[in-house]
Amino acid sequence: MKIGNKIIELPSIDSTNNYVAKEFMSGSLAEGTVILAAIQTAGKGQRGNKWHSTPYENLTFSFPLSLKSKLLTEPIAINFVTSIALCLLVRSHCDDAAIKWPNDIVVANRKIAGILIEKQYYSSNKVNAVVGIGLNINQKHFSVKNATSLFNETGCIYAPKEVLLQFIAQFNFWVTQPFEVLEEKYHELLWLKNKISQFKSIDGECFEGAIIQVNRDGKINIKTNQTERYFANGEIHFIERDQ
Ligand code: BTN
């Protein structure tokens, strides 16, 4: 199952994820079609946050996948393929790009891209997934701390469409790989793996530990002095540090 056979460019839309979800459900969009928007007026981020992206300077795009694809048999595989493809694309321009669990790509400590995967359960055994990606390309100034772009890291201006084609090529390669290969590559690219780091849980507890792995259920496994602990998306934060 490949993506990007067809790329549709929209001048402006509320959210490419919303557009893809609606059009795919109504049958008017083929699986893997990439919807790219120059402007998003209500871009969505993780956990109800907004995704802000300066018009024309970055990449904001989405594509639908369906349960028929092999990829969805191991649900975390969509996340692994997308994260690996995005990370390797960024790494081809900036050496130290890494996957920051659960859904970010960082260069050093700075976020350069975010992934929003939304699933639609429309009957008891059918699931569609909308994969949405925001990748900062030519934007120079950010209102949030610790954000960056390819331009800020390399000093080069990029053609967003070319970068999109690089992502599509990466995705289409990794999507053909067996799950065990994806699992290994994901962990090779995982930020702070096996490095002692500081974390804060949602109940306010700060602790030190090292990331061991991300499990197939999507939870992160952290080894502390005393024990191994497991956290789902949203249950834990990294305490920021300068690298
Ligand atoms: C995050 O890091 O919080 C995830 C950000 C995902 C943003 C992208 S931009 C294209 C697609 N459409 C949306 O509304 N969101 C995703």
Side-chain angles (χ1 to χ4, degrees):
M1 183 264 327
K2 306 243 179 201
I3 64 162
N5 265 346
K6 190 168 179 193
I7 299 172
I8 298 175
E9 294 183 60
L10 304 174
S12 177
I13 193 77
D14 56 347
S15 148
T16 53
N17 265 40
N18 287 353
Y19 179 88
V20 166
K22 195 163 132 265
E23 298 296 314
F24 192 51
M25 283 293 277
S26 71
S28 46
L29 211 59
E31 184 180 13
T33 304
V34 173
I35 302 294
L36 176 65
I39 301 174
Q40 278 193 135
T41 54
K44 299 190 296 182
Q46 286 285 324
R47 292 180 295 282
N49 292 322
K50 287 192 165 38
W51 182 258
H52 299 284
S53 178
T54 306
Y56 306 104
E57 295 203 332
N58 302 315
L59 271 179
T60 48
F61 65 97
S62 305
F63 52 89
L65 300 173
S66 91
L67 181 64
K68 292 191 291 299
S69 58
K70 267 202 324 210
L71 200 58
L72 277 157
T73 54
E74 192 73 67
I76 192 78
I78 305 171
N79 184 297
F80 282 3
V81 170
T82 309
S83 303
I84 293 167
L86 198 50
C87 183
L88 290 179
L89 152 68
V90 175
R91 220 178 238 207
S92 69
H93 302 284
C94 326
D95 289 345
D96 47 358
I99 297 169
K100 182 177 180 184
W101 178 88
N103 290 297
D104 296 346
I105 304 299
V106 293
V107 177
N109 200 14
R110 297 178 292 276
K111 177 165 172 171
I112 196 162
I115 301 168
L116 177 64
I117 299 175
E118 297 182 290
K119 296 191 182 145
Q120 304 170 309
Y121 298 85
Y122 60 93
S123 79
S124 58
N125 60 354
K126 289 194 175 172
V127 185
N128 287 337
V130 177
V131 179
I133 293 172
L135 169 60
N136 300 330
I137 296 192
N138 294 321
Q139 188 170 334
K140 295 179 187 62
H141 306 290
F142 294 90
S143 56
V144 288
K145 227 173 29 135
N146 277 353
T148 192
S149 63
L150 288 179
F151 176 84
N152 283 357
E153 296 301 321
T154 66
C156 300
I157 297 280
Y158 297 83
K161 191 81 180 288
E162 270 172 35
V163 179
L164 173 64
L165 295 177
Q166 291 166 8
F167 171 79
I168 290 170
Q170 286 284 354
F171 187 96
N172 286 343
F173 170 75
W174 288 100
V175 79
T176 63
Q177 299 302 301
F179 185 75
E180 292 67 30
V181 173
L182 296 176
E183 212 169 23
E184 195 183 327
K185 192 69 187 175
Y186 180 92
H187 287 100
E188 190 189 308
L189 298 172
L190 188 60
W191 193 58
L192 297 180
K193 180 166 178 275
N194 293 332
K195 297 202 175 109
I196 300 292
S197 312
Q198 279 73 42
F199 301 92
K200 189 174 186 180
S201 69
I202 38 169
D203 41 21
E205 180 205 1
C206 294
F207 65 95
E208 200 170 72
I211 295 171
I212 305 301
Q213 64 171 15
V214 174
N215 295 335
R216 289 180 184 204
D217 61 5
K219 289 189 177 171
I220 197 161
N221 177 1
I222 296 173
K223 193 171 191 323
T224 68
N225 270 345
Q226 294 81 33
T227 182
E228 286 192 25
R229 303 177 65 172
Y230 301 85
F231 297 91
N233 184 356
E235 290 179 354
I236 192 173
H237 296 287
F238 292 82
I239 297 178
E240 285 176 24
R241 57 172 212 179
D242 295 324
Q243 292 239 313

